[in-house]
Amino acid sequence: MNKVILGTWSFSKEAVTTTRDALLSSQSSIDSIEKGINSIEENMKYGPCIVGVGGPRNSHGFLEMDAAVMNGRHLQFGAVTALKGFSKPISVARSVMERCTHSMLTADGARIFAEKEGFTFNPELASKDTNGELPFQCHDTLGLIVLDGDDISCGVSTSGMPNKHPGRVGDSALPGNGLYADVSGGAACCSGDGDFILKFCPAFQVVQLLKQGKKPKEACNIVISDMTNRCSEYFEISIIAVNMKGEYGAGTTVASWKDPLEKDKTFNGFPYVAWTSGMDEPVCLCQEIIT
């Protein structure tokens, strides 16, 4: 049975490792993704990666987080946006998927639902930060894809663009944009300039190409090429994808990326993490721009 896990950016290695351990202990693809993303969301050190409780605040000094999860077998989807006061937004998104009549909740509505479902509200996470804006530079989103035999799921989590307007929602938690999964093709996750990405539904487009038989790397590059042809200015996007055969790949417009956790480490392209059932440990790969 094919097992494949992909994670966006080099900092996803801990998430991929945690996801692998859960998957190998016979937990479902959704369970595994939730545990993997939780390991990053709740760790303050990943704040510079624009993920979780240590992430950047909005222009009014508040931490608003977005997260989403999707299972490709029944096209189940759940998301929360502009969520304040909770350390596990991906877990709240999963509860929306499984226990709510709606598919996406935002701001106060997401908070009310989370409290009703028993998630612990943390006033410190919902309070205003008076320390001012921190020097965050990137547009990163943690995205994970898990293929487990004939089942495939994906999940994303982000604290969003630094100094964003309150209530701003980018591409990450929007189905077809930041993520998409369908067992008839595969799954894809995106990271980058969300206000631009959401105009193109790139994750959905990639999965449609996988349905047509395109290889994951080729599908990513076709979609990115179409986007760049439509835009005269540079924009940042990176995509990871997995098909149902267990083949995987990536595409990017990122020529160089400095790891925010290892300042002396620079990648000549988009670093992503992969693990398959044939590997002992996850590996970090680097996808360069295709010209």
Side-chain angles (χ1 to χ4, degrees), residues 128-147:
K128 185 174 182 177
D129 185 347
T130 58
N131 293 325
E133 183 185 354
L134 297 175
F136 294 93
Q137 300 294 328
C138 46
H139 301 284
D140 302 340
T141 295
L142 172 61
L144 290 181
I145 300 173
V146 173
L147 173 70

Side-chain angles (χ1 to χ4, degrees), residues 154-172:
C154 53
V156 298
S157 185
T158 183
S159 51
M161 176 186 290
N163 205 38
K164 64 188 178 183
H165 191 284
R168 179 262 187 186
V169 176
D171 69 300
S172 298

